[in-house]
Amino acid sequence: MNTKYKYTLIFVLFLCCTIVSAQSFKKDSLQIKAYTEIEYKAGKPINITLKKVFCDYCSKTQLTLLGEDAIRRADGEKQNPKNKLVDGKKKLAVYIRIAKTDFASIKEEE
């Protein structure tokens, strides 16, 4: 009976630590959403296009860099079996999480 309480206590402590660490990560970072589209022909990806980056407070430089990152992430997902099509276009929502300090360091080109 004592071991049961021991494992329960360990599980509760693990759960509390996980929740606390997840909350601090959300507080120190931004999550930006972007829509991309992968075009397939004969089961092979042909083209990846950026449809939209959802960021109301971003500058043009920040939007450009976030768009490039979204395309790079979509490129990594193009061979995933759940995203592949024989012929057609697959729309992907890409979520980019970036630290607030890193985001603020992206300056406009002068």
Side-chain angles (χ1 to χ4, degrees):
M1 193 72 168
N2 194 5
T3 8
K4 180 180 177 184
Y5 291 122
K6 181 179 166 183
Y7 287 125
T8 305
L9 180 62
I10 290 172
F11 176 73
V12 170
L13 287 173
F14 174 75
L15 188 62
C16 289
C17 290
T18 304
I19 291 171
V20 168
S21 67
Q23 288 175 346
S24 65
F25 183 71
K26 287 181 181 180
K27 187 176 15 173
D28 296 340
S29 65
L30 300 170
Q31 180 173 307
I32 298 164
K33 183 178 181 180
Y35 283 148
T36 58
E37 189 174 78
I38 304 173
E39 185 177 350
Y40 290 93
K41 189 160 196 158
K44 296 186 180 186
I46 300 173
N47 190 21
I48 299 174
T49 55
L50 177 68
K51 292 299 181 182
K52 183 168 174 91
V53 177
F54 293 93
C55 184
D56 295 334
Y57 45 83
C58 294
S59 67
K60 287 186 179 187
T61 304
Q62 291 168 333
L63 283 173
T64 302
L65 292 174
L66 290 169
E68 290 171 0
D69 189 42
I71 289 174
R72 182 186 57 78
R73 291 174 188 228
D75 187 57
E77 291 288 322
K78 68 183 177 189
Q79 296 299 335
N80 190 332
K82 68 179 182 180
N83 295 329
K84 287 183 87 172
L85 299 174
V86 176
D87 287 318
K89 295 179 180 180
K90 175 68 176 179
K91 295 180 181 180
L92 290 176
V94 177
Y95 294 92
I96 301 167
R97 187 168 291 275
I98 185 169
K100 288 180 182 178
T101 54
D102 294 339
F103 185 75
S105 69
I106 302 172
K107 303 289 184 200
E108 284 289 329
E109 295 177 11
E110 297 183 19

